Amino acid sequence: MTNDGHILLPIDLHQIGRDKLENVMRIARSLERGVLGLMLEDLQLQQVADLPFTTEITLSGARERSLLRDHLSQRCHRINAGTRQLLLELAGSNEVELSFEEASGHRLHCALERNGGQDIFFPPRHQRQHPRQARHRTRFAIERLGLVLPSREQGQRVMTIAASLLRAGLVGQVHAVAGGDVSITELAALPLQGHRLVVRTDLELTSDNILLLIRRSPYDLMLIPRGCLEPVAPGELDAALALASGQVMVVGAG
């Protein structure tokens, strides 16, 4: 196990598919890392559930009971229990160290308020449609790996993680969005082993363009340095992640 610690995986009411959880474990195994499942109770949903129109009066004691809150609590418990069991199974088969913590709040806020050096894996809310892949099954867990590289310094850990995923045979193609002082020579030095490398240098990595990349990501997994998200408003970042159909891994400072 390296000093980078665990990959943080926030888990809330939105169920995560088995394939995405399996990808987390494969990534963790290739990086010699553990996974920390952050089991979340969303306070905003609980507040909505406590509104007057979601309650009933019980016959015994004439006390109010929140129907929606009870439903949300049951759903949260069911999803958390199922996800926990599946993660335990996948962690065992991939020989990855797994631990759990519980927290209350929204997944983005709970994840970002933790140690800034920790990497955070955000599974997509939506399933991307791949008509070509439906006809031609890929043998790679990550067919298209996207790298956001605003500068050489901020992209250093992104490059290190990408190299590990390539060596593990998880990646089919590498697509880099490079800015600043990032050189194509450095990118070409990745252990590509014949895999395709596409480099884009025409996109200025402003807050708006980063949000656009997240929302409309054409990548199966996008690695993005946490530092370049700091200027982005949390509400806008949360909305972009909610619309993302690809996996996003926020890479901490280490």
Side-chain angles (χ1 to χ4, degrees):
M1 186 78 59
T2 67
N3 293 328
D4 291 335
H6 291 67
I7 297 172
L8 184 66
L9 173 65
I11 300 164
D12 58 13
L13 280 171
H14 295 265
Q15 198 159 10
I16 306 172
R18 181 188 181 96
D19 58 333
K20 303 302 184 295
L21 295 178
E22 192 159 15
N23 275 348
V24 177
M25 292 300 169
R26 288 172 174 169
I27 292 168
R29 181 178 62 187
S30 70
L31 300 178
E32 298 183 340
R33 307 269 290 285
V35 172
L36 172 58
L38 189 62
M39 317 299 285
L40 297 171
E41 181 181 16
D42 195 318
L43 295 180
Q44 288 183 330
L45 288 178
Q46 294 294 344
Q47 289 167 0
V48 171
D50 285 332
L51 293 173
F53 58 81
T54 65
T55 61
E56 69 169 356
I57 305 297
T58 61
L59 293 177
S60 59
R63 291 179 297 180
E64 286 189 351
R65 180 169 67 93
S66 172
L67 295 174
L68 185 54
R69 182 178 58 197
D70 292 347
H71 171 74
L72 287 174
S73 295
Q74 292 169 8
R75 174 176 167 80
C76 187
H77 175 76
R78 184 171 63 252
I79 289 176
N80 282 354
T83 304
R84 183 188 293 259
Q85 183 60 41
L86 187 51
L87 280 171
L88 287 168
E89 174 192 331
L90 294 172
S93 61
N94 286 277
E95 299 182 339
V96 169
E97 180 182 321
L98 175 66
S99 55
F100 295 98
E101 288 185 13
E102 295 183 356
S104 295
H106 193 275
R107 71 167 183 165
L108 177 65
H109 300 141
C110 288
L112 292 182
E113 71 183 7
R114 301 174 67 87
N115 175 13
Q118 199 162 33
D119 299 336
I120 310 169
F121 187 93
F122 290 103
R125 298 290 200 210
H126 307 282
Q127 186 70 33
R128 176 187 286 116
Q129 299 299 320
H130 277 311
R132 290 182 63 189
Q133 288 187 16
R135 293 192 299 267
H136 307 286
R137 291 291 180 185
T138 175
R139 63 185 180 90
F140 299 105
I142 306 165
E143 177 60 33
R144 294 163 64 91
L145 175 65
L147 312 179
V148 177
L149 305 166
S151 68
R152 181 181 296 173
E153 181 180 1
Q154 288 194 48
Q156 185 175 1
R157 288 201 70 244
V158 170
M159 294 280 284
T160 300
I161 291 173
S164 295
L165 298 180
L166 282 161
R167 292 191 190 98
L170 298 181
V171 177
Q173 305 174 18
V174 178
H175 295 253
V177 182
D181 56 352
V182 178
S183 72
I184 296 179
T185 303
E186 290 174 293
L187 289 165
L190 286 168
L192 295 167
Q193 300 171 337
H195 296 297
R196 185 184 181 197
L197 170 65
V198 179
V199 182
R200 183 176 180 182
T201 59
D202 63 334
L203 183 67
E204 185 180 357
L205 290 172
T206 62
S207 296
D208 287 344
N209 283 337
I210 287 171
L211 289 171
L212 186 64
L213 274 175
I214 294 173
R215 284 195 301 267
R216 301 181 182 178
S217 171
Y219 315 121
D220 297 288
L221 172 65
M222 181 164 61
L223 304 180
I224 180 167
R226 180 165 177 170
C228 71
L229 294 178
E230 290 177 357
V232 181
E236 293 181 352
L237 177 57
D238 182 44
L241 286 169
L243 292 173
S245 59
Q247 302 162 113
V248 176
M249 185 164 162
V250 177
V251 178

